[in-house]
C-alpha cells in the first residue's frame, strides 16, 4: 500500500513520523512524508520518500513576536499555502493518508476529493473531554468536568476558525460541495491514533469511538549517523551534563538566552550541552558545549537532566531517556505537557519561559537535580514506556484495511 504521512510545523512535528514510517516501510508499505522542505534530509535519511509542503514555520513563529498585524498576515499566508500543498501531495498519488492534527482539515478535504481514506495521527490530545482541559486551554480549564469540556471545545473552535476560509476555498477548487456550517473542519477524521503513551495521558472515557491512545512513535535515527567527536569528548571529560534546548521556540533570542544559560549553569555548578535550535542558542564557558541537531535517543540518556520547552516531541524524548526534566513552557501545547511532567513526578514545578532569569533557572536546576525522587520516577517510567509499542495499533489498522 502507498501511504502518505502529512505533517506540518517544526522538527518535533515531523520526527515521530519517521519512526512510524520506518515500521510501515518494514511491513511492506511504500511510505512518503509530506513536510516542509527543511525536513527533506531528515525524512530521506530515514529511508522515506518526501513531498514538499510550502510554508516556513520558523518565519511564522518570528511573526508572532513582531506585531499582531504581521502575525495575522503570516498565519493567513501559511494556512493558504498549506492547504494547496496538502492537496498537491495527496493528488500526486497515494492509497491512504495518515495525517497530523494541524493539516488534518486539508488532508480530509483532499482525501474526499481523491477518494482516499484518511487516518489521524495526532501528537497531542485533540478531542474535548471532561477529564482535563485540552492543550491550548487555560490549565485550570473551568469549574469542574463541564468546564474542562467547554474549554476543550473552545480550543477546537478556534482551530476551526483559523482553517475555515482555507477549507472553503480548497473545497471549491477541488469541486467539492460546500461544507455545512455545523460541520467541524478540524474534526471528522476517523480513526484517530494519538502518538503518546497512556502512561502519560490515559485515554479519556468520554472520547468517541475510533479515537485511541496508541503509545509513542519514537523517531528513527538517520541511517549511518555517528556522534560528533567533540560531543563524545565533552561527555567523557566530566560528569553527565544537563541538556538545555528550546527547540523551535524563541527565534533570534540566542544572544540573550546564551548569557542567561551561562549564568544559570555557573550558579548551579553543572556542565551543560546547549542545543542551538531556532533561537540559535550559543554556548558560553568551559563547561558549556553548543550543538546542533542530535538524535535525542542517543544524547538525552547520557545527561543528568533535560531542560526544554515541553514540546510534545522533546517531552517524549526526555521521558524515554529516564532522566529528570525541567520544563520551561512557552506557548501552545507546552504548558499542558509541562504540567503532565510535574504531575508524573519527574520534574519540579514548571518555570514559564516568560519568567526565565539566570537566577531562577539556576535555582530550578539545583532543585531538579537534588531531588532523588525525580530521577527515580523518571527511570521507572522509562522502563514502563520501553515495554510499549505505539506503532502496533496503527500497523494493525492499516494491515486490516489493506487486505
Amino acid at each position: 500500500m502507498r501511504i502518505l504521512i502529512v505533517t506540518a510545523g517544526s522538527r518535533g512535528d515531523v520526527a515521530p513520523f519517521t519512526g512510524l514510517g520506518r515500521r510501515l516501510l518494514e511491513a511492506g508499505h511504500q511510505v512518503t512524508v509530506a513536510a516542509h522542505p527543511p525536513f527533506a534530509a531528515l525524512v530521506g535519511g530515514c529511508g522515506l520518500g518526501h513531498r514538499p509542503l510550502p510554508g516556513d514555520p520558523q518565519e511564522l513563529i518570528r511573526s508572532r513576536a513582531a506585531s499582531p498585524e504581521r502575525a495575522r498576515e503570516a498565519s493567513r499566508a501559511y494556512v493558504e499555502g498549506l492547504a494547496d500543498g496538502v492537496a498537491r501531495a495527496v493528488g500526486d498519488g497515494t492509497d491512504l493518508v495518515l495525517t497530523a492534527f494541524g493539516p488534518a482539515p486539508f488532508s480530509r478535504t483532499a482525501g474526499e476529493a481523491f477518494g482516499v481514506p484518511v487516518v489521524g495521527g495526532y501528537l497531542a490530545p485533540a478531542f474535548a473531554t471532561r477529564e482535563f482541559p485540552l492543550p491550548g486551554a487555560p490549565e485550570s480549564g473551568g469549574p469542574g468536568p463541564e468546564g474542562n469540556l467547554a474549554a476543550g471545545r473552545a480550543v477546537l473552535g478556534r482551530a476551526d476558525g483559523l482553517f475555515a476560509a482555507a477549507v472553503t476555498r480548497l473545497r471549491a477548487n477541488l469541486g467539492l460541495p460546500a461544507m455545512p456550517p455545523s460541520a467541524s473542519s478540524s474534526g471528522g477524521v476517523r480513526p484517530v491514533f494519538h502518538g503518546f503513551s497512556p502512561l502519560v495521558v490515559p485515554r479519556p472515557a468520554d472520547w468517541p469511538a475510533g479515537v485511541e491512545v496508541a503509545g509513542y512513535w519514537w523517531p528513527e535515527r538517520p541511517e549511518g549517523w555517528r556522534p560528533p567527536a567533540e560531543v563524545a569528548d565533552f561527555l567523557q571529560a566530566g560528569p553527565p551534563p544537563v541538556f538545555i534546548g528550546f527547540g523551535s521556540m524563541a527565534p533570534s533570542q540566542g544572544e540573550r538566552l546564551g548569557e542567561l544559560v551561562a549564568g544559570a549553569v555557573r550558579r548551579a555548578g553543572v556542565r551543560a550541552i546547549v542545543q542551538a535550535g531556532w533561537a540559535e542558542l550559543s554556548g558560553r564557558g568551559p563547561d558549556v558545549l553548543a550543538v546542533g541537531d542530535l538524535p535525542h535517543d542517543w544524547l538525552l540518556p547520557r545527561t543528568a537532566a533535560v531542560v526544554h520547552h515541553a514540546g510534545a516531541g522533546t517531552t517524549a524524548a526526555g521521558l524515554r531517556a529516564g532522566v529528570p526534566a525541567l520544563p520551561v513552557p512557552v506557548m501552545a501545547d507546552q504548558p499542558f505537557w509541562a504540567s503532565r511532567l510535574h504531575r508524573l513526578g519527574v520534574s519540579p514545578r514548571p518555570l514559564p519561559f516568560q519568567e526565565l532569569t539566570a537566577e531562577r533557572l539556576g535555582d530550578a536546576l539545583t532543585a531538579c537535580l537534588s531531588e532523588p525522587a525525580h530521577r527515580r520516577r523518571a527511570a521507572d517510567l522509562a522502563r514502563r514506556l520501553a515495554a510499549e509499542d505505539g506503532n502496533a495499533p496503527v500497523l494493525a489498522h492499516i494491515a486490516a484495511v489493506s487486505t
Side-chain angles (χ1 to χ4, degrees):
M1 174 179 279
R2 296 173 301 165
I3 298 173
L4 177 68
I5 299 174
V6 179
T7 186
S10 68
R11 185 184 181 91
D13 297 299
V14 178
F17 292 106
T18 63
L20 179 57
R22 281 290 301 188
R23 285 287 298 275
L24 289 165
L25 190 69
E26 292 163 3
H29 301 288
Q30 179 182 322
V31 185
T32 302
V33 179
H36 297 305
F39 305 113
L42 171 65
V43 170
C46 296
L48 308 174
H50 176 255
R51 292 179 189 171
L53 293 181
D56 183 351
Q58 190 168 358
E59 178 57 31
L60 187 64
I61 291 177
R62 283 199 188 98
S63 72
R64 292 172 179 164
S67 68
E69 293 78 12
R70 182 180 168 189
R72 283 193 294 270
E73 179 57 28
S75 294
R76 185 200 63 78
Y78 177 82
V79 168
E80 292 286 347
L82 184 61
D84 294 336
V86 170
R88 283 194 298 271
V90 176
D92 283 345
T94 188
D95 300 313
L96 181 142
V97 174
L98 177 68
T99 183
F101 176 73
F106 309 134
S107 298
R108 190 184 77 161
T109 300
E112 181 181 345
F114 295 105
V116 178
V118 180
V119 174
Y122 299 168
L123 300 179
F127 290 82
T129 173
R130 293 173 177 82
E131 296 185 17
F132 53 78
L134 284 189
E139 187 177 336
S140 59
E146 295 306 317
N148 288 338
L149 186 65
R153 287 172 173 167
V155 169
L156 298 175
R158 289 195 295 272
D160 287 345
L162 178 63
F163 291 107
V167 169
T168 297
R169 182 183 62 82
L170 184 61
R171 292 185 69 85
N173 290 347
L174 294 176
L176 296 173
M179 182 176 287
S182 60
S184 167
S185 62
S186 62
V189 174
R190 295 291 191 281
V192 170
F193 298 94
H194 287 83
F196 51 77
S197 171
L199 296 173
V200 178
V201 183
R203 183 192 185 279
D206 58 353
W207 270 5
V211 177
E212 305 297 337
V213 174
Y216 281 117
W217 305 321
W218 303 119
E220 182 75 6
R221 192 181 298 181
E223 295 173 358
W225 182 87
R226 294 290 183 273
E230 65 172 350
V231 180
D233 291 344
F234 183 81
L235 288 168
Q236 294 173 2
V242 298
F243 170 90
I244 301 176
F246 301 111
S248 59
M249 296 295 101
S252 305
Q253 295 190 43
E255 187 73 18
R256 179 184 74 85
L257 288 175
E259 295 178 0
L260 186 155
V261 165
V265 167
R266 287 194 301 270
R267 185 178 181 91
V270 297
R271 304 193 321 137
I273 289 181
V274 174
Q275 192 167 54
W278 287 2
E280 299 179 358
L281 190 60
S282 59
R284 309 281 179 84
D287 290 327
V288 180
L289 177 68
V291 300
D293 286 333
L294 293 173
H296 282 164
D297 71 302
W298 177 84
L299 177 59
L300 298 191
R302 293 169 165 80
T303 65
V306 181
V307 180
H308 59 77
H309 62 300
T314 314
T315 295
L319 291 172
R320 185 186 193 188
V323 296
L326 175 54
V328 184
V330 184
M331 57 180 285
D333 63 334
Q334 296 157 20
F336 174 86
W337 294 116
S339 176
R340 285 280 155 174
L341 290 173
H342 182 53
R343 292 178 185 178
L344 289 167
V346 302
S347 82
R349 188 175 300 279
L351 176 60
F353 183 82
Q354 294 79 3
E355 301 175 11
L356 198 62
T357 65
E359 293 75 17
R360 286 174 175 163
L361 180 56
D363 292 346
L365 265 173
T366 299
C368 179
L369 293 169
S370 62
E371 175 50 73
H374 295 326
R375 179 166 295 277
R376 184 174 63 252
R377 288 169 181 157
D380 176 67
L381 182 55
R383 284 191 294 269
R384 296 164 68 196
L385 289 174
E388 294 183 343
D389 182 1
N391 297 304
V394 184
L395 267 68
H397 172 76
I398 291 176
V401 300
S402 63
T403 55

